[in-house]
Amino acid sequence: AYLTYKAKKAGVVVEETGEAYTSQDCPFCDDRHQTRTRHFFCPVTKTGRHRDVNGAQNIARRKYPMPVKDVSVVFKQPIWNKKYRRRDGVGGDDLARAEAW
């Protein structure tokens, strides 16, 4: 509701569509492959990409039929927590708890 409210305020039209299995569907072979990591890989076409990118493209293609584009996205995990991590592996919220003792 909040997203729809903000979009309407900015003059953007919101159209809803289903998102089920979009990160598991291969846009190249139209087959479904399960993944347990953040990376989607199709064993049929030997293509891979970040599964959120795969899902976003599949959602867009469900609503607006378009050709498949191979997109390269660099995904980096946040590293701010490493800066505060001690050698014993305690860091972030754990560090505050450990220092309270």
XYZ file of all heavy atoms in Angstrom:
821
model
N 0.829 -1.183 0.000
C 0.000 0.000 0.000
C 0.884 1.260 0.000
O 0.578 2.234 -0.673
C -0.928 -0.011 1.202
N 1.965 1.217 0.785
C 2.854 2.378 0.872
C 3.530 2.639 -0.472
O 3.636 3.781 -0.905
C 3.894 2.142 1.966
C 4.808 3.326 2.199
C 4.334 4.486 2.807
C 6.139 3.277 1.813
C 5.167 5.564 3.017
C 6.974 4.357 2.014
C 6.482 5.507 2.629
O 7.313 6.573 2.831
N 3.975 1.574 -1.125
C 4.621 1.718 -2.430
C 3.634 2.280 -3.458
O 3.986 3.170 -4.243
C 5.169 0.368 -2.914
C 5.887 0.365 -4.243
C 7.126 1.250 -4.194
C 6.275 -1.052 -4.619
N 2.405 1.803 -3.449
C 1.381 2.305 -4.365
C 1.089 3.779 -4.085
O 0.960 4.580 -5.008
C 0.089 1.478 -4.229
O 0.410 0.104 -4.447
C -0.958 1.902 -5.226
N 1.021 4.138 -2.815
C 0.790 5.526 -2.432
C 1.907 6.434 -2.949
O 1.652 7.480 -3.539
C 0.671 5.620 -0.906
C 0.915 6.996 -0.343
C -0.061 7.997 -0.453
C 2.106 7.307 0.292
C 0.166 9.261 0.054
C 2.336 8.568 0.806
C 1.365 9.548 0.682
O 1.590 10.798 1.180
N 3.160 6.031 -2.718
C 4.302 6.832 -3.169
C 4.355 6.913 -4.690
O 4.686 7.956 -5.257
C 5.616 6.255 -2.630
C 5.840 6.499 -1.160
C 6.050 7.977 -0.933
C 6.601 8.249 0.441
N 6.875 9.657 0.677
N 4.059 5.819 -5.367
C 4.080 5.808 -6.826
C 3.014 6.737 -7.388
O 3.273 7.505 -8.316
C 3.878 4.390 -7.344
N 1.816 6.675 -6.814
C 0.724 7.539 -7.279
C 1.082 9.012 -7.060
O 0.828 9.858 -7.911
C -0.568 7.202 -6.539
C -1.768 7.958 -7.057
C -3.021 7.620 -6.269
C -3.634 6.371 -6.841
N -4.957 6.081 -6.269
N 1.726 9.308 -5.931
C 2.141 10.675 -5.625
C 3.165 11.187 -6.644
O 3.183 12.362 -6.984
C 2.729 10.719 -4.219
C 2.923 12.084 -3.659
C 3.335 12.017 -2.208
C 3.554 13.423 -1.673
N 3.950 13.410 -0.278
N 4.007 10.265 -7.160
C 5.025 10.630 -8.154
C 4.491 10.519 -9.581
O 5.226 10.757 -10.534
C 6.253 9.740 -7.988
N 3.237 10.109 -9.738
C 2.651 10.000 -11.066
C 3.008 8.714 -11.791
O 2.947 8.634 -13.010
N 3.373 7.687 -11.038
C 3.753 6.395 -11.618
C 2.591 5.423 -11.457
O 1.994 5.321 -10.379
C 5.017 5.832 -10.917
C 5.368 4.467 -11.443
C 6.176 6.793 -11.072
N 2.273 4.699 -12.522
C 1.202 3.713 -12.479
C 1.772 2.385 -11.979
O 2.806 1.919 -12.461
C 0.581 3.512 -13.886
C -0.488 2.438 -13.848
C 0.025 4.818 -14.393
N 1.119 1.776 -11.009
C 1.548 0.490 -10.457
C 0.663 -0.607 -11.031
O -0.559 -0.528 -10.937
C 1.461 0.487 -8.915
C 1.796 -0.887 -8.359
C 2.367 1.540 -8.326
N 1.287 -1.610 -11.630
C 0.563 -2.763 -12.142
C 1.119 -4.006 -11.464
O 2.316 -4.251 -11.511
C 0.747 -2.885 -13.653
C 0.163 -1.721 -14.419
C 0.367 -1.869 -15.911
O 0.450 -3.018 -16.392
O 0.448 -0.842 -16.586
N 0.262 -4.779 -10.829
C 0.711 -5.959 -10.101
C 0.719 -7.186 -11.001
O -0.099 -7.305 -11.910
C -0.189 -6.204 -8.896
C -0.080 -5.107 -7.866
C -0.873 -5.410 -6.613
O -1.107 -6.605 -6.320
O -1.254 -4.452 -5.937
N 1.649 -8.087 -10.720
C 1.731 -9.360 -11.419
C 2.310 -10.392 -10.456
O 2.960 -10.032 -9.479
C 2.586 -9.249 -12.704
O 2.519 -10.483 -13.413
C 4.015 -8.924 -12.399
N 2.066 -11.660 -10.734
C 2.557 -12.713 -9.855
C 4.065 -12.868 -9.945
O 4.667 -12.640 -10.985
N 4.676 -13.260 -8.832
C 6.118 -13.431 -8.818
C 6.550 -14.876 -8.525
O 7.734 -15.152 -8.385
C 6.742 -12.496 -7.790
C 6.260 -12.767 -6.373
C 6.955 -11.918 -5.344
O 8.167 -12.085 -5.145
O 6.264 -11.088 -4.736
N 5.602 -15.783 -8.468
C 5.908 -17.168 -8.118
C 6.866 -17.799 -9.114
O 6.664 -17.729 -10.330
C 4.618 -17.982 -8.048
N 7.927 -18.386 -8.594
C 8.935 -19.145 -9.352
C 9.745 -18.301 -10.338
O 10.454 -18.847 -11.166
C 8.297 -20.319 -10.106
C 7.539 -21.244 -9.195
C 6.160 -21.266 -9.204
C 8.217 -22.076 -8.314
C 5.455 -22.110 -8.358
C 7.520 -22.924 -7.457
C 6.143 -22.941 -7.495
O 5.461 -23.767 -6.666
N 9.686 -16.982 -10.263
C 10.397 -16.163 -11.251
C 11.913 -16.265 -11.116
O 12.625 -16.123 -12.102
C 9.986 -14.688 -11.153
O 10.148 -14.247 -9.803
C 8.552 -14.502 -11.594
N 12.420 -16.513 -9.911
C 13.878 -16.633 -9.772
C 14.363 -18.029 -10.148
O 15.560 -18.260 -10.255
C 14.321 -16.279 -8.358
O 13.762 -17.170 -7.432
N 13.438 -18.968 -10.365
C 13.818 -20.332 -10.738
C 13.611 -20.628 -12.220
O 14.098 -21.622 -12.722
C 13.000 -21.342 -9.927
C 13.235 -21.285 -8.445
C 12.343 -22.249 -7.700
O 11.692 -23.092 -8.282
N 12.297 -22.116 -6.391
N 12.856 -19.783 -12.916
C 12.579 -20.012 -14.337
C 13.720 -19.484 -15.196
O 14.156 -18.346 -15.020
C 11.280 -19.324 -14.748
C 10.054 -19.980 -14.144
O 10.178 -21.127 -13.676
O 8.987 -19.347 -14.139
N 14.171 -20.310 -16.141
C 15.221 -19.891 -17.066
C 14.574 -19.131 -18.218
O 13.693 -19.657 -18.896
C 15.992 -21.098 -17.602
S 17.254 -20.623 -18.808
N 15.004 -17.896 -18.470
C 14.409 -17.129 -19.559
C 14.839 -17.607 -20.943
O 14.229 -17.261 -21.938
C 14.910 -15.705 -19.299
C 16.164 -15.886 -18.535
C 15.995 -17.135 -17.729
N 15.875 -18.432 -21.006
C 16.384 -18.892 -22.292
C 15.738 -20.198 -22.747
O 15.407 -20.365 -23.903
C 17.904 -19.039 -22.243
C 18.607 -17.752 -21.919
C 19.117 -17.525 -20.661
C 18.727 -16.758 -22.866
C 19.754 -16.337 -20.356
C 19.359 -15.558 -22.579
C 19.873 -15.347 -21.315
N 15.534 -21.134 -21.818
C 14.954 -22.425 -22.210
C 13.540 -22.618 -21.657
O 12.916 -23.649 -21.893
C 15.855 -23.574 -21.761
S 15.864 -23.877 -19.978
N 13.026 -21.652 -20.895
C 11.685 -21.710 -20.293
C 11.473 -22.938 -19.410
O 10.365 -23.448 -19.281
C 10.590 -21.643 -21.366
C 10.551 -20.292 -22.050
O 10.830 -19.290 -21.374
O 10.252 -20.245 -23.256
N 12.543 -23.419 -18.801
C 12.462 -24.547 -17.885
C 12.666 -24.022 -16.462
O 13.145 -22.915 -16.260
C 13.538 -25.577 -18.234
C 13.107 -26.991 -17.899
O 11.999 -27.156 -17.351
O 13.879 -27.918 -18.171
N 12.338 -24.814 -15.455
C 12.471 -24.408 -14.057
C 13.595 -25.209 -13.403
O 13.624 -26.435 -13.476
C 11.154 -24.648 -13.328
C 11.161 -24.138 -11.916
C 9.782 -24.073 -11.335
N 9.028 -23.038 -12.043
C 7.708 -23.033 -12.156
N 6.991 -23.983 -11.643
N 7.100 -22.064 -12.815
N 14.513 -24.501 -12.754
C 15.650 -25.129 -12.076
C 15.775 -24.527 -10.679
O 15.852 -23.311 -10.537
C 16.954 -24.889 -12.843
C 16.850 -25.184 -14.300
N 16.793 -26.464 -14.794
C 16.762 -24.367 -15.374
C 16.701 -26.418 -16.113
N 16.677 -25.149 -16.485
N 15.798 -25.385 -9.674
C 15.919 -24.896 -8.303
C 17.352 -24.492 -8.013
O 18.294 -25.059 -8.548
C 15.474 -25.957 -7.320
C 13.982 -26.149 -7.331
C 13.518 -27.032 -6.208
O 14.312 -27.630 -5.495
N 12.210 -27.130 -6.037
N 17.489 -23.495 -7.131
C 18.806 -23.053 -6.713
C 18.812 -22.873 -5.201
O 17.798 -22.502 -4.620
C 19.215 -21.744 -7.413
O 20.494 -21.367 -6.959
C 18.231 -20.626 -7.151
N 19.924 -23.152 -4.590
C 20.051 -22.987 -3.143
C 21.019 -21.858 -2.800
O 21.328 -21.644 -1.640
C 20.515 -24.297 -2.517
C 19.441 -25.347 -2.532
C 19.946 -26.684 -2.025
N 18.903 -27.681 -2.005
C 18.441 -28.334 -3.058
N 18.917 -28.060 -4.254
N 17.505 -29.235 -2.956
N 21.495 -21.184 -3.803
C 22.434 -20.091 -3.584
C 21.860 -18.807 -4.164
O 20.759 -18.801 -4.703
C 23.792 -20.386 -4.253
O 23.608 -20.453 -5.671
C 24.379 -21.701 -3.757
N 22.603 -17.736 -4.103
C 22.174 -16.457 -4.668
C 22.378 -16.417 -6.177
O 22.032 -15.460 -6.822
C 22.951 -15.298 -4.034
C 22.837 -15.194 -2.542
C 21.452 -14.930 -2.021
N 20.867 -13.720 -2.570
C 19.581 -13.440 -2.533
N 18.730 -14.277 -1.999
N 19.113 -12.328 -3.043
N 22.959 -17.467 -6.731
C 23.266 -17.498 -8.159
C 22.379 -18.526 -8.856
O 22.317 -19.677 -8.450
C 24.748 -17.862 -8.352
C 25.219 -17.714 -9.754
N 25.504 -16.490 -10.305
C 25.435 -18.614 -10.726
C 25.894 -16.662 -11.552
N 25.858 -17.949 -11.832
N 21.678 -18.105 -9.904
C 20.859 -19.007 -10.700
C 21.720 -19.563 -11.827
O 22.432 -18.824 -12.502
C 19.666 -18.257 -11.303
C 18.921 -19.061 -12.331
C 18.004 -20.016 -11.952
C 19.151 -18.870 -13.682
C 17.325 -20.766 -12.895
C 18.478 -19.609 -14.633
C 17.563 -20.559 -14.234
N 21.668 -20.874 -12.033
C 22.411 -21.505 -13.119
C 21.494 -22.476 -13.844
O 20.823 -23.295 -13.222
C 23.644 -22.252 -12.595
C 24.425 -22.914 -13.677
C 25.236 -22.176 -14.522
C 24.340 -24.284 -13.875
C 25.951 -22.774 -15.532
C 25.054 -24.900 -14.878
C 25.861 -24.143 -15.716
N 21.451 -22.370 -15.180
C 20.655 -23.283 -15.997
C 21.583 -24.344 -16.569
O 22.476 -24.020 -17.364
C 19.962 -22.520 -17.126
S 19.078 -23.625 -18.249
N 21.403 -25.615 -16.194
C 22.260 -26.670 -16.728
C 21.996 -26.979 -18.199
O 22.833 -27.568 -18.864
C 21.938 -27.877 -15.848
C 20.598 -27.606 -15.271
C 20.442 -26.119 -15.207
N 20.853 -26.555 -18.716
C 20.513 -26.807 -20.112
C 21.259 -25.845 -21.029
O 21.926 -26.251 -21.981
C 18.982 -26.700 -20.340
C 18.641 -26.883 -21.803
C 18.246 -27.701 -19.477
N 21.138 -24.551 -20.747
C 21.767 -23.541 -21.606
C 23.145 -23.113 -21.114
O 23.815 -22.339 -21.782
C 20.871 -22.288 -21.697
O 20.699 -21.746 -20.381
C 19.539 -22.617 -22.320
N 23.539 -23.596 -19.925
C 24.840 -23.262 -19.315
C 24.983 -21.755 -19.084
O 26.044 -21.186 -19.254
C 26.010 -23.763 -20.179
C 25.945 -25.230 -20.531
C 26.206 -26.103 -19.331
C 26.362 -27.551 -19.745
N 25.414 -28.436 -19.169
N 23.888 -21.101 -18.710
C 23.933 -19.676 -18.406
C 23.687 -19.478 -16.922
O 23.001 -20.265 -16.280
C 22.859 -18.896 -19.191
O 21.581 -19.463 -18.910
C 23.135 -18.926 -20.672
N 24.240 -18.423 -16.385
C 24.069 -18.120 -14.981
C 23.960 -16.627 -14.752
O 24.435 -15.833 -15.557
N 23.316 -16.268 -13.648
C 23.159 -14.872 -13.264
C 22.677 -14.823 -11.831
O 22.262 -15.836 -11.269
C 22.175 -14.162 -14.181
C 20.847 -14.878 -14.203
C 19.784 -14.256 -15.012
N 20.239 -13.983 -16.353
C 19.518 -13.370 -17.254
N 18.309 -12.995 -16.964
N 19.966 -13.144 -18.449
N 22.711 -13.658 -11.230
C 22.208 -13.495 -9.875
C 20.711 -13.783 -9.902
O 19.997 -13.342 -10.795
C 22.476 -12.070 -9.383
C 22.240 -11.901 -7.923
N 20.986 -11.714 -7.399
C 23.086 -11.922 -6.877
C 21.070 -11.616 -6.097
N 22.345 -11.733 -5.747
N 20.225 -14.540 -8.926
C 18.828 -14.985 -9.003
C 17.829 -13.842 -8.849
O 16.721 -13.924 -9.367
C 18.555 -16.101 -8.016
C 18.464 -15.683 -6.580
C 18.061 -16.852 -5.729
N 17.948 -16.418 -4.352
C 17.829 -17.223 -3.339
N 17.807 -18.510 -3.543
N 17.720 -16.763 -2.126
N 18.190 -12.754 -8.158
C 17.280 -11.618 -8.058
C 17.151 -10.898 -9.401
O 16.071 -10.421 -9.757
C 17.743 -10.638 -6.984
C 17.603 -11.211 -5.576
O 16.845 -12.195 -5.406
O 18.248 -10.688 -4.653
N 18.245 -10.827 -10.147
C 18.214 -10.231 -11.483
C 17.367 -11.104 -12.398
O 16.547 -10.616 -13.182
C 19.641 -10.067 -12.050
C 19.615 -9.624 -13.502
C 20.431 -9.098 -11.204
N 17.548 -12.417 -12.292
C 16.756 -13.356 -13.086
C 15.272 -13.194 -12.773
O 14.441 -13.126 -13.680
C 17.219 -14.789 -12.797
C 16.593 -15.795 -13.710
O 16.601 -15.627 -14.920
N 16.025 -16.842 -13.141
N 14.931 -13.109 -11.493
C 13.540 -12.949 -11.098
C 12.947 -11.632 -11.578
O 11.818 -11.599 -12.063
N 13.708 -10.558 -11.463
C 13.215 -9.247 -11.902
C 12.944 -9.236 -13.405
O 11.922 -8.711 -13.857
C 14.228 -8.168 -11.540
N 13.852 -9.831 -14.165
C 13.641 -9.890 -15.613
C 12.430 -10.747 -15.956
O 11.649 -10.388 -16.841
C 14.878 -10.455 -16.312
C 15.672 -9.403 -16.997
C 16.680 -9.985 -17.983
O 16.937 -11.189 -18.020
N 17.254 -9.131 -18.766
N 12.273 -11.856 -15.275
C 11.128 -12.731 -15.550
C 9.806 -12.069 -15.181
O 8.806 -12.244 -15.871
C 11.286 -14.067 -14.827
C 12.293 -14.960 -15.510
O 12.539 -14.838 -16.702
N 12.901 -15.856 -14.754
N 9.786 -11.288 -14.079
C 8.567 -10.568 -13.700
C 8.217 -9.552 -14.783
O 7.067 -9.446 -15.207
C 8.744 -9.880 -12.329
C 8.766 -10.933 -11.221
C 7.634 -8.863 -12.082
C 9.144 -10.390 -9.858
N 9.214 -8.812 -15.247
C 8.976 -7.813 -16.297
C 8.472 -8.482 -17.579
O 7.556 -7.981 -18.237
C 10.249 -7.025 -16.579
N 9.054 -9.631 -17.918
C 8.656 -10.322 -19.146
C 7.273 -10.951 -19.034
O 6.595 -11.162 -20.034
C 9.698 -11.378 -19.510
C 10.976 -10.753 -20.023
C 12.069 -11.739 -20.362
N 11.628 -12.768 -21.271
C 11.579 -14.065 -20.961
N 11.940 -14.492 -19.783
N 11.169 -14.941 -21.848
N 6.830 -11.285 -17.825
C 5.467 -11.813 -17.660
C 4.436 -10.739 -17.976
O 3.400 -11.006 -18.570
C 5.244 -12.286 -16.221
C 5.735 -13.661 -15.960
C 5.306 -14.117 -14.595
N 5.871 -15.431 -14.321
C 5.719 -16.074 -13.187
N 5.024 -15.525 -12.215
N 6.251 -17.252 -13.021
N 4.705 -9.536 -17.551
C 3.758 -8.444 -17.744
C 3.889 -7.819 -19.130
O 2.897 -7.472 -19.759
C 3.981 -7.388 -16.654
C 2.904 -6.367 -16.557
C 1.640 -6.991 -16.013
C 0.575 -5.925 -15.828
N -0.680 -6.476 -15.412
N 5.125 -7.673 -19.585
C 5.398 -7.041 -20.882
C 6.291 -7.947 -21.706
O 7.506 -7.965 -21.502
C 6.074 -5.680 -20.682
C 5.294 -4.769 -19.780
C 5.669 -4.571 -18.459
C 4.154 -4.130 -20.248
C 4.935 -3.741 -17.636
C 3.420 -3.301 -19.427
C 3.818 -3.115 -18.117
O 3.081 -2.301 -17.299
N 5.726 -8.749 -22.621
C 6.542 -9.661 -23.431
C 7.639 -8.896 -24.180
O 7.382 -7.892 -24.837
C 5.534 -10.268 -24.405
C 4.223 -10.136 -23.721
C 4.308 -8.860 -22.928
N 8.862 -9.362 -24.019
C 10.021 -8.734 -24.643
C 11.107 -9.780 -24.818
O 11.084 -10.815 -24.151
C 10.532 -7.576 -23.782
C 11.033 -8.003 -22.421
S 11.523 -6.661 -21.351
C 9.971 -6.223 -20.605
N 12.064 -9.544 -25.707
C 13.150 -10.507 -25.872
C 14.036 -10.556 -24.623
O 14.127 -9.585 -23.872
C 13.930 -9.982 -27.074
C 13.537 -8.558 -27.227
C 12.175 -8.420 -26.632
N 14.668 -11.693 -24.424
C 15.555 -11.893 -23.281
C 16.872 -11.179 -23.541
O 17.450 -11.289 -24.615
C 15.815 -13.395 -23.054
C 16.747 -13.594 -21.875
C 14.519 -14.124 -22.840
N 17.332 -10.440 -22.538
C 18.634 -9.779 -22.621
C 19.551 -10.418 -21.600
O 19.158 -10.656 -20.461
C 18.522 -8.292 -22.301
C 18.217 -7.418 -23.453
C 18.379 -5.977 -23.021
C 18.225 -5.061 -24.201
N 18.251 -3.668 -23.795
N 20.779 -10.689 -22.001
C 21.756 -11.194 -21.056
C 22.334 -9.999 -20.312
O 22.916 -9.102 -20.914
C 22.858 -11.973 -21.776
C 23.703 -12.777 -20.800
O 23.242 -12.994 -19.671
O 24.812 -13.170 -21.177
N 22.126 -9.965 -19.011
C 22.528 -8.829 -18.194
C 23.630 -9.257 -17.247
O 23.523 -10.290 -16.592
C 21.323 -8.302 -17.375
C 21.733 -7.137 -16.504
C 20.196 -7.920 -18.288
N 24.679 -8.468 -17.182
C 25.766 -8.754 -16.256
C 25.682 -7.770 -15.092
O 25.719 -6.564 -15.294
C 27.107 -8.609 -16.974
O 28.151 -8.805 -16.055
N 25.541 -8.300 -13.892
C 25.427 -7.464 -12.699
C 26.458 -7.934 -11.693
O 26.588 -9.127 -11.431
C 24.016 -7.574 -12.079
C 23.927 -6.801 -10.787
C 22.976 -7.097 -13.059
N 27.191 -6.995 -11.132
C 28.160 -7.320 -10.088
C 27.446 -7.153 -8.754
O 26.932 -6.084 -8.444
C 29.396 -6.392 -10.160
C 30.337 -6.689 -9.015
C 30.089 -6.556 -11.491
N 27.389 -8.223 -7.977
C 26.723 -8.194 -6.682
C 27.779 -8.329 -5.609
O 28.550 -9.280 -5.604
C 25.708 -9.335 -6.572
C 25.049 -9.402 -5.224
C 24.055 -8.502 -4.879
C 25.430 -10.350 -4.299
C 23.455 -8.553 -3.641
C 24.828 -10.410 -3.062
C 23.840 -9.510 -2.740
N 27.815 -7.354 -4.727
C 28.796 -7.399 -3.639
C 28.066 -7.375 -2.311
O 27.135 -6.597 -2.122
C 29.741 -6.207 -3.734
C 30.587 -6.227 -4.983
C 31.565 -5.089 -4.972
C 32.446 -5.169 -6.206
N 33.429 -4.100 -6.231
N 28.506 -8.223 -1.407
C 27.951 -8.239 -0.072
C 28.418 -7.006 0.688
O 29.528 -6.527 0.468
C 28.424 -9.479 0.684
C 27.835 -10.766 0.168
C 26.409 -10.947 0.581
O 25.546 -10.191 0.170
N 26.143 -11.933 1.385
N 27.605 -6.477 1.586
C 28.056 -5.349 2.401
C 29.260 -5.749 3.235
O 29.296 -6.846 3.795
C 26.862 -5.048 3.303
C 25.724 -5.798 2.737
C 26.251 -6.873 1.866
N 30.244 -4.885 3.298
C 31.464 -5.232 4.046
C 31.646 -4.380 5.290
O 32.650 -4.501 5.968
C 32.718 -5.099 3.151
C 32.843 -3.685 2.631
C 32.696 -6.113 2.039
C 34.169 -3.377 1.987
N 30.669 -3.529 5.603
C 30.845 -2.657 6.758
C 31.055 -3.449 8.031
O 31.766 -3.026 8.924
C 29.641 -1.721 6.927
C 28.377 -2.444 7.294
C 27.445 -2.949 6.454
C 27.939 -2.777 8.605
N 26.447 -3.571 7.134
C 26.724 -3.481 8.474
C 28.452 -2.565 9.875
C 26.020 -3.954 9.562
C 27.744 -3.037 10.960
C 26.544 -3.728 10.793
N 30.451 -4.633 8.125
C 30.556 -5.434 9.340
C 31.972 -5.985 9.532
O 32.406 -6.184 10.652
C 29.534 -6.561 9.301
C 29.227 -7.109 10.676
O 29.473 -6.455 11.681
N 28.697 -8.303 10.726
N 32.697 -6.235 8.441
C 34.063 -6.753 8.551
C 34.962 -5.772 9.287
O 35.877 -6.164 9.991
C 34.646 -7.032 7.166
C 34.071 -8.233 6.495
C 34.764 -8.455 5.179
C 34.186 -9.645 4.456
N 34.832 -9.856 3.176
N 34.703 -4.490 9.115
C 35.513 -3.447 9.722
C 35.487 -3.548 11.246
O 36.458 -3.226 11.917
C 34.976 -2.096 9.273
C 35.722 -0.918 9.766
C 35.108 0.336 9.142
C 35.702 1.594 9.698
N 35.075 2.782 9.151
N 34.371 -4.005 11.796
C 34.199 -4.053 13.241
C 34.339 -5.460 13.822
O 34.081 -5.668 14.984
C 32.819 -3.481 13.603
C 32.658 -2.075 13.121
C 31.885 -1.788 12.004
C 33.301 -1.027 13.761
C 31.744 -0.486 11.550
C 33.175 0.271 13.308
C 32.398 0.531 12.204
O 32.269 1.813 11.761
N 34.736 -6.414 13.003
C 34.847 -7.801 13.456
C 36.206 -8.036 14.109
O 37.226 -7.636 13.601
C 34.650 -8.750 12.274
C 34.389 -10.164 12.716
C 33.818 -10.985 11.599
N 32.446 -10.627 11.247
C 31.379 -11.033 11.917
N 31.513 -11.784 12.979
N 30.182 -10.699 11.525
N 36.200 -8.690 15.255
C 37.450 -9.002 15.946
C 38.025 -10.306 15.416
O 37.389 -11.028 14.664
C 37.181 -9.141 17.449
C 36.676 -7.861 18.056
C 36.603 -7.923 19.557
N 36.208 -9.217 20.085
C 35.665 -9.400 21.274
N 35.409 -8.380 22.039
N 35.338 -10.595 21.700
N 39.222 -10.616 15.836
C 39.884 -11.843 15.368
C 39.181 -13.114 15.820
O 39.285 -14.142 15.186
C 41.332 -11.884 15.855
C 42.193 -10.896 15.130
C 43.603 -10.984 15.585
N 44.336 -9.881 14.997
C 45.624 -9.882 14.824
N 46.341 -10.890 15.207
N 46.210 -8.849 14.281
N 38.462 -13.051 16.936
C 37.772 -14.246 17.420
C 36.416 -14.445 16.736
O 35.655 -15.326 17.092
C 37.601 -14.199 18.934
C 36.798 -13.002 19.410
O 36.353 -12.197 18.563
O 36.617 -12.856 20.634
N 36.102 -13.607 15.714
C 34.884 -13.784 14.944
C 33.687 -13.029 15.474
O 32.631 -13.046 14.879
N 33.839 -12.356 16.611
C 32.741 -11.604 17.179
C 32.712 -10.237 16.521
O 33.732 -9.583 16.392
C 32.901 -11.460 18.715
C 31.787 -10.609 19.285
C 32.925 -12.822 19.363
N 31.534 -9.814 16.093
C 31.440 -8.503 15.453
C 30.015 -8.029 15.361
O 29.083 -8.760 15.680
N 29.840 -6.802 14.922
C 28.504 -6.240 14.743
C 27.746 -6.205 16.055
O 28.262 -5.731 17.062
N 26.518 -6.725 16.082
C 25.702 -6.741 17.298
C 26.310 -7.657 18.356
O 26.177 -7.418 19.545
C 24.280 -7.211 16.984
C 23.533 -6.220 16.117
O 23.897 -5.027 16.146
O 22.601 -6.634 15.419
N 26.995 -8.713 17.923
C 27.647 -9.621 18.865
C 28.728 -8.896 19.656
O 28.947 -9.180 20.821
C 28.296 -10.802 18.134
C 27.272 -11.673 17.429
O 26.121 -11.728 17.909
O 27.620 -12.277 16.413
N 29.403 -7.941 19.000
C 30.481 -7.204 19.648
C 29.929 -6.374 20.804
O 30.514 -6.347 21.882
C 31.179 -6.303 18.627
C 32.381 -5.507 19.142
C 33.444 -6.455 19.652
C 32.944 -4.644 18.030
N 28.788 -5.737 20.612
C 28.184 -4.929 21.664
C 27.801 -5.801 22.848
O 28.017 -5.443 24.008
C 26.967 -4.184 21.147
N 27.256 -7.000 22.586
C 26.892 -7.926 23.651
C 28.124 -8.438 24.379
O 28.138 -8.562 25.582
C 26.097 -9.102 23.081
C 24.653 -8.777 22.896
C 23.834 -10.008 22.565
N 23.117 -9.711 21.322
C 23.340 -10.270 20.167
N 24.228 -11.218 20.054
N 22.670 -9.915 19.116
N 29.194 -8.744 23.614
C 30.408 -9.271 24.216
C 31.076 -8.221 25.110
O 31.590 -8.553 26.179
C 31.382 -9.711 23.124
N 31.052 -6.961 24.681
C 31.685 -5.910 25.472
C 30.857 -5.574 26.699
O 31.369 -5.054 27.683
C 31.918 -4.691 24.608
C 33.027 -4.914 23.598
C 33.211 -3.742 22.667
O 32.376 -2.814 22.667
O 34.207 -3.764 21.920
N 29.543 -5.856 26.676
C 28.690 -5.594 27.821
C 29.014 -6.530 28.986
O 28.780 -6.195 30.141
C 27.217 -5.732 27.436
N 29.562 -7.705 28.675
C 29.931 -8.658 29.723
C 31.128 -8.135 30.414
O 31.599 -8.307 31.380
C 30.240 -10.029 29.126
C 28.991 -10.729 28.694
C 28.466 -10.731 27.449
C 28.101 -11.492 29.494
N 27.303 -11.452 27.417
C 27.061 -11.943 28.665
C 28.072 -11.845 30.831
C 26.012 -12.707 29.123
C 27.031 -12.623 31.281
C 26.016 -13.039 30.445
